[in-house]
């Protein structure tokens, strides 16, 4: 976060403004005096957005207003008082009630673990699982909570190796005997991690619930508290033992939906009900403190079931979206780079233009697994209807039924990471492992 050359003490500053501040030995949060052209300004030095210009110093005046002072050749900056450390102090954690179920909350980062410091305007990216527990004291009425920070990353910075580490951590907690695990996670790639855990954690005895927030927990419109209460409730006592995503069911602050980890997608950039189950219904919902199952088709909680951990993902798999006029060299590139699999996000029932056929043939001949999901999102691939689909099938492209393209990508990485041969990986890809292929698709 911050510009190219700004030190941590002067977030967002660059160019001449950074030079003047550095020479004056001040840092964000300090009370400073700026003298320029005979005028004096006094206030707290604010961090800047990394997209701001390099000519202004921003201070918060005593009145509470922020102003930008343009730096000129004769601008003088002095420190008047030391800054107060930009820190969030959570209230003490609530008292635990030992007879309740045991839930482990593991934090990985994202908006749910962020705070805005209103004195300086800086977003503080780190509030731990422990802080969250203190901020939402209702959680202590639901479960005995253990908290742990695994990473503190925005989810767009996670990679398949992070999925493996998350899976290992969750398995560790389950083997220690917790009744459920909650993972706080950024929402952007939460569905990918949910799919990854659905494949990596086989024979789950208890629920694993991913939860995030579209607005950080210190904003009045935050969805963090309700989502977290829903997630912990499900981890503590839901009858299902699956990997699910728990997020607002609607825009109102009244209910939480639980989506199967292989069938969920972030469908809106900012709404609180951004997550939707695709081609299936959510598996459960929680409203007014009551958790209601919405399907009979789920794995039951069973403490005695033995968990099998399969955490290997081969990152040499690409997701390629076809579009009119696409350059087929994109496919050749992955072949040359030594990739082992390609998921094509085709049009409609599962097509790409004929101009891509030679490259796809070559990829399959070189031993890559090439599979087809649809960019339609809802519905099912059917490559028998049109000639182009049939020709692709004849080449050996594997149709992926109603699997989401993102889930298909994760699954092929996992299949190639776990299988001993490409043939075995192909069989895994086509087998329904964690509800990723529904027998019947419903339009929700
Ligand atoms: N970019 C953030 C992330 O995915 C957004 C969020 O947490 O909702 O980590």
């Amino acid at each position: 976060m911050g510009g190219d050359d700004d030190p941590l003490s002067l977030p967002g500053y660059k160019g001449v403004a950074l030079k003047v501040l550095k020479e004056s030995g001040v840092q964000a949060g300090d009370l400073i005096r700026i003298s320029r052209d005979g005028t004096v300004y006094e206030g707290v030095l604010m961090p800047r957005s990394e997209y701001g210009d390099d000519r202004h110093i921003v201070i918060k005046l005593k009145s509470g207003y922020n102003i930008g002072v343009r730096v000129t050749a004769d601008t003088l900056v002095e420190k008047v008082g030391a800054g107060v450390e930009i820190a969030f102090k959570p209230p003490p954690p609530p008292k635990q009630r030992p007879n309740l179920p045991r839930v482990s909350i593991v934090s990985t980062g994202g908006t749910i673990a962020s705070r805005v410091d209103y004195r300086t305007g800086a977003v503080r990216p780190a509030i731990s699982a422990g802080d969250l527990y203190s901020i939402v004291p209702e959680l202590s009425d639901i479960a005995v909570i253990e908290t742990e920070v695994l990473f503190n990353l925005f989810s767009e910075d996670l990679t398949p190796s992070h999925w493996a580490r998350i899976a290992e951590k969750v398995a560790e907690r389950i083997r220690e005997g917790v009744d459920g695990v909650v993972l706080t996670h950024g929402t952007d790639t939460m569905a990918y991690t949910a799919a990854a855990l659905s494949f990596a954690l086989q024979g789950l005895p208890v629920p694993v619930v991913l939860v995030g927030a579209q607005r950080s927990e210190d904003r009045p419109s935050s969805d963090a508290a309700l989502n977290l209460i829903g997630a912990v409730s499900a981890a503590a006592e839901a009858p299902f033992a699956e990997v699910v995503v728990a997020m607002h069911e609607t825009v109102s602050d009244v209910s939480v939906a639980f989506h199967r980890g292989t069938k969920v997608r972030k469908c809106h950039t900012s709404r609180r009900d951004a997550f939707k189950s695709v081609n299936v219904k959510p598996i459960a919902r929680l409203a007014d403190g009551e958790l209601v199952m919405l399907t009979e088709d789920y794995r039951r909680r069973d403490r005695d079931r033995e968990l099998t951990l399969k955490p290997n993902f081969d990152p040499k798999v690409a997701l390629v979206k076809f579009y009119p006029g696409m350059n087929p060299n994109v496919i050749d590139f992955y072949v040359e780079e030594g990739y082992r699999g390609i998921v094509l996000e085709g049009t409609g029932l599962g097509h790409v233009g004929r101009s891509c056929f030679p490259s796809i043939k070559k990829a399959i001949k070189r031993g890559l697994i090439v599979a087809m999901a649809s960019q339609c999102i809802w519905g099912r691939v059917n490559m028998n209807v049109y000639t182009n689909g049939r020709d692709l099938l004849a080449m050996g492209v594997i149709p992926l039924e109603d699997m989401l393209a993102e889930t298909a990508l994760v699954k092929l990485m996992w299949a190639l990471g776990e299988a001993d041969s490409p043939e075995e990986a192909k069989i895994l890809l086509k087998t329904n492992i964690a509800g990723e292929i529904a027998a019947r698709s419903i339009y929700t």
Side-chain angles (χ1 to χ4, degrees), residues 88-105:
F88 157 67
K89 297 219 172 17
K95 246 185 131 168
Q96 304 267 22
R97 304 220 252 122
N99 295 331
L100 293 173
R102 269 177 71 200
V103 169
S104 170
I105 305 182

Side-chain angles (χ1 to χ4, degrees), residues 5 10 13-25 54 71:
D5 49 2
L10 293 167
Y13 283 97
K14 51 195 173 206
V16 280
L18 178 65
K19 189 164 169 273
V20 170
L21 292 171
K22 265 189 180 165
E23 281 166 7
S24 324
D54 61 355
V71 178

